[in-house]
Structure formats: C-alpha cells, structure tokens
Amino acid sequence: MPDYRYLLSEREIPKTWYNVIPDLPAPMSPPLHPGTLQPAGPQDLQAIFPFALIEQEVTTAQNIPIPEPVLDILRMWRPTPLHRALRLEKALGTPAKIFFKNEGVSPAGSHKPNTAIAQAYYNKAAGIKRLTTETGAGQWGSALALGCNVFGMECMVYMVKCSYYQKPHRRTMMECWGAKCVPSPSDLTQAGRTILAEDPETPGSLGIAISEAVEDAATRQDTNYSLGSVLNHVLLHQTVIGQEAIAQMKLAGATPDIVIGCCGGGSNFAGLAFPFVPVKAAGKNIRLIGVEPAACPTMTKGIYAYDFGDKSGMTPLLKMDTLGHDFIPPGIHAGGLRYHGMSPLVSLLHREGVVEAVSYPQLKCFEAALTFARAEGLIVAPETSHAIACVVDEALKAKEEGKEKTILFNLSGHGHFDMAAYEKYFAGELSDYEYPEAKIREALAHLPKAS
Ligand SMILES: Cc1ncc(COP(=O)(O)O)c(C=O)c1O
C-alpha cells in the first residue's frame, strides 16, 4: 500500500528561493511609469516598496537566500505535507496517480503567508512601521495581518466589498492578529470616494482595493504597500512550495506529468510550477496548467498588453495577460480569483507556450470540491476548487485513455471560512457566469496606449 503523506523535516525547508527569470525563454518587458509610460526605475517604486523587494523584482540571480528570521517563522508550519490522494483516485476509478501539496496547513489557512512573512520582514528591516494592502477572499489580508503581527507592525487591509460581507469571519481573524480591515471602496481614500460617487452599490474589485491601499501607502512616510500576488518577488517567495514538492515527489518515487494550480494573480500556481520550468526545459514532458474562473478569464480571453495593476491607474504598467483595469468581475465566490490581470511572469510563460491556461465555471468547481471533500476529507477554498475541477478532468481523461498519468496540484487553501459559499451551492443559489465578450471588449478598449 503506498503512503498517504510524504513529509520533510524542519531542517529540509528550502534555504533559497528559486528565481525563474534566468530560465525564461524570452526577456521580461520592464514595468512602465504610469505618468510618463517610460520604463520605471527603482526610484519610482521606492515610495511604496522597500529596496530589498524592488531588487528581487529584477534580479537575475538563480537562487536567493531566505533570511534566517523568515525561515524561523516559516518553520511554524513548513515544510507542508505532500499527500497522495489515494481515495480520490479510487472514487474516480482512474489509473492516474494524484498528489497534492497542502498549503492549507498554514496559520492563515493558505499559501499566502509564505510571502506575507517575507514582505513584513523586509519592510520592518527598512524601518517601515505600517503596511497597507488589498484583499479579495480575505486569505491575503489575514496572511499579511499574521506577518505584521509576527514582526510587530501595524496592518491596514482594504477588503473587496462583496467578499467583506460574504466572509465576516476573515475580518475577525485579521483583527485577532491586530490588523484593521475596511470594506472597499471606502471613504478613507480619494480613489474610494470617487468610485463610491459613481456607483454606491459597486461590489468592489481587487483593482479598486489596490488603488486605495496604494494611495494610503503613498501618502504616509511610515507606511508601505504590500501585494499578495502578481509581482515577481511575491511569486519568488512562493517557490518554497515547488522545491519542497520536488523533494517529496522523489520520496514517493514519482515525477509529475501534469502540474496544476488555480490562478488569481498567479502566485500559488507559480510557487508550485516554476521550480519545474527548468525540468521541463531539460526535456521532461511536463504540462503546467493554470486554472482560472470562466467569470474572470484573464489568460483564456484576455490580451497580452501593458496595463495598470489597479482601477485608478496609480500603479506602474505591467506587460501581462489582462481583461483591462476597468474590468469588474461578477461577485463569484472565489473572491481571490477576481483580478483583471495575471502575473507578468506567468503571462510571459503562457504566451511562450510553457504554461497552459484553462477556465472553469463555478458550479463545476464546487462539484469537484465536494467529490474531493467526500473522498479525502478536506474542504477546500473555492479558489482551490478550480484546480481540483481540472485535476478531476485530467484524471478522467487518463482513465478514458487507459494511461497512468501522474498529476500534482496545489491545495492553495482550506475552505473553513467559506461555508456561506457552500451553503449557497447546496441551496441551488449559485449559477455559472460567463463574462460577456462585449463587456470584455469594452474593458479592453480602455487599455493605456503603451506598446
Ligand atoms: C486559497 C487561495 N488560492 C488561490 C488564490 C489566488 O491567488 P494566487 O493566484 O496569487 O495564488 C487565493 C487568493 O486570495 C486564495 O485565497
């Protein structure tokens, strides 16, 4: 009988982060200044980020040492277990072997603390006292609240309004770690007040919440801004996941044919998949699949272009797969996947054919999450259910084809604060929503004019 779990000791936490930049098949396009549309230099980012993180955005070093104080905190829950989903395999009757990395075991319940701890550390070391951020589902906000708490900093979280009311306990969780959390758009910032004046009933969006958090940070000396996904340094901090997975798959005597993660801004997917990029480049036939919601189809229906990271056009422009910074996705329950853009690194690898993208409607994702919960016992976050929907499809395809595929996916977070979403699913109150092409075209028409 094979093992259910493959565990590493605390001493085996990776000591460096893996940087995919030197392994990219094409050069990165630089971020552009939002005013001049010229390449942004480090000085343009220093109003809101510490120098160490700006450096990590551009470094071409392959491996970046993880500071000892960061490792010391990561040890509280890392290495995370690698599970073999034997019961799911049985339930699906598939010859595929299914493995997953369980990031739901962190104190905040997802992969997000991997970067929250690192970002809080570097900001504290630079003399910053307070961090602001946005959050969708509340996973990132609670992770940063944890990170700030650990390093004795203040934390201010702008939470997308529809999620704030769907998940009141996430806010309480942030408060437990000493953070302040308000629904966005709020009347605390100019960006929030402008949007509320246009549409007082807006459900909010990550793009709007980012505008508020950036404005707050840019207008206070003691405050910096912290982003939970998208940027290179965030993805870098998540690569502990894939590095551990490679060591654990070795223990299991397996190598993946398919690596799957859900994609909001791309960080949990990249954290698992990027360490496999050099393995793939060396000739191993591995499919790396990012899964997004049909309601916010950034890679599958967006275009690859320069765009703002936020709604108000305050952030530097990034070359990325985007639906346009004006795009306000419907209030689907996977709040963490409602972002108009995709990380520039994931976007580039997608456009170069290294990474594949697929999209799934939410009902199919909830169905897959329940198949998983009833087989494996774990109730996952609605974001994670997107990865599982793809895993189920790939496992059933392997069954049809009679092939012994090995599938590895990232269980990016547990769903213990998402019972309202499951309740709505059981009550038949959730529906699929495919964002209309015309609305996507409209949002794309407002892209900034940068080549
Ligand atoms: C559990 C979970 N998974 C995935 C995501 C999506 O973010 P990313 O694509 O950066 O991993 C989120 C975002 O909040 C999340 O909470």
Side-chain angles (χ1 to χ4, degrees):
M1 186 73 180
D3 287 339
Y4 276 118
R5 291 190 306 158
Y6 297 89
L7 305 172
L8 300 174
S9 77
E10 281 176 28
R11 279 176 298 284
E12 292 169 285
I13 297 179
K15 303 295 179 292
T16 55
W17 289 301
Y18 162 72
N19 182 15
V20 78
I21 290 176
D23 291 330
L24 291 175
M28 289 284 291
S29 303
L32 303 183
H33 186 281
T36 63
L37 300 188
Q38 294 304 308
Q43 68 285 359
D44 296 319
L45 302 172
Q46 265 173 325
I48 54 171
F49 293 120
F51 189 71
L53 293 180
I54 297 172
E55 213 174 14
Q56 288 181 2
E57 274 305 288
V58 293
T59 179
T60 51
Q62 183 89 81
N63 299 299
I64 318 261
I66 306 178
E68 194 53 47
V70 174
L71 282 172
D72 191 42
I73 306 297
L74 293 183
R75 258 205 300 273
M76 287 163 71
W77 70 93
R78 302 208 72 84
T80 59
L82 177 86
H83 298 240
R84 169 97 184 259
L86 283 166
R87 290 168 185 271
L88 178 66
E89 291 169 17
K90 197 160 164 220
L92 298 174
T94 177
K97 292 190 181 105
I98 303 174
F99 292 88
F100 65 92
K101 201 60 179 141
N102 188 358
E103 291 297 308
V105 299
S106 80
S110 76
H111 63 296
K112 299 280 179 181
N114 296 329
T115 184
I117 300 297
Q119 292 192 47
Y121 165 77
Y122 285 116
N123 276 288
K124 173 86 176 186
I128 292 297
K129 305 217 165 358
R130 178 174 175 269
L131 288 178
T132 63
T133 196
E134 74 296 330
T135 194
Q139 292 269 23
W140 166 241
S142 47
L144 192 68
L146 170 76
C148 285
N149 175 65
V150 162
F151 289 107
M153 302 172 77
E154 281 179 56
C155 183
M156 172 71 184
V157 182
Y158 293 87
M159 184 166 183
V160 177
K161 190 161 78 182
C162 64
S163 296
Y164 183 89
Y165 293 110
Q166 276 163 5
K167 295 175 197 207
H169 296 132
R170 275 278 162 199
R171 178 192 55 173
T172 311
M173 200 173 176
M174 293 178 224
E175 288 169 355
C176 286
W177 283 312
K180 184 164 181 211
C181 173
V182 295
S184 165
S186 75
D187 60 6
L188 300 176
T189 64
Q190 190 53 50
R193 287 189 291 274
T194 306
I195 288 154
L196 282 175
E198 279 167 17
D199 179 8
E201 299 309 317
T202 177
S205 71
L206 279 170
I208 295 171
I210 293 173
S211 292
E212 291 204 277
V214 168
E215 181 185 321
D216 181 334
T219 48
R220 275 182 65 157
Q221 277 289 337
D222 65 345
T223 300
N224 265 353
Y225 166 69
S226 179
L227 186 61
S229 190
V230 178
L231 296 179
N232 302 352
H233 68 267
V234 182
L235 275 56
L236 178 79
H237 300 156
Q238 294 294 351
T239 58
V240 287
I241 304 172
Q243 293 184 74
E244 285 176 9
I246 287 175
Q248 288 163 308
M249 291 295 283
K250 259 196 203 125
L251 292 180
T255 49
D257 300 297
I258 309 176
V259 176
I260 297 173
C262 65
C263 280
S267 78
N268 87 87
F269 168 66
L272 180 64
F274 280 6
F276 288 98
V277 166
V279 183
K280 185 175 166 109
K284 166 86 180 129
N285 187 14
I286 308 182
R287 294 173 61 204
L288 309 175
I289 309 179
V291 190
E292 57 188 17
C296 189
T298 314
M299 290 188 281
T300 47
K301 295 218 174 128
I303 61 171
Y304 187 49
Y306 269 112
D307 197 6
F308 297 111
D310 68 326
K311 164 87 171 93
S312 308
M314 290 163 65
T315 68
L317 287 81
L318 302 172
K319 182 100 180 256
M320 60 184 175
D321 285 339
T322 181
L323 293 164
H325 60 282
D326 279 342
F327 179 86
I328 299 189
I332 55 163
H333 272 278
L337 305 186
R338 294 175 74 246
Y339 185 59
H340 67 269
M342 179 52 55
S343 129
L345 285 170
V346 172
S347 300
L348 187 147
L349 288 166
H350 172 225
R351 296 295 157 166
E352 291 291 323
V354 178
V355 158
E356 295 170 46
V358 292
S359 71
Y360 280 87
Q362 71 174 350
L363 291 183
K364 188 159 177 177
C365 298
F366 275 100
E367 193 185 307
L370 289 173
T371 303
F372 184 74
R374 287 166 187 172
E376 295 292 329
L378 298 171
I379 301 169
V380 301
E383 289 81 5
T384 310
S385 73
H386 289 70
I388 296 178
C390 180
V391 168
V392 168
D393 270 2
E394 290 296 335
L396 293 178
K397 209 185 295 166
K399 177 173 160 178
E400 251 171 55
E401 293 170 356
K403 286 193 179 144
E404 266 201 32
K405 288 268 156 71
T406 298
I407 302 170
L408 168 65
F409 78 94
N410 204 0
L411 193 163
S412 55
H414 69 63
H416 299 177
F417 292 91
D418 299 289
M419 288 307 121
Y422 280 94
E423 219 168 77
K424 284 212 160 100
Y425 175 77
F426 290 132
E429 289 169 16
L430 293 186
S431 52
D432 282 339
Y433 187 87
E434 194 131 350
Y435 209 79
E437 293 280 355
K439 285 233 170 209
I440 295 177
R441 275 200 303 277
E442 191 185 311
L444 289 175
H446 299 146
L447 281 178
K449 302 276 173 277
S451 53

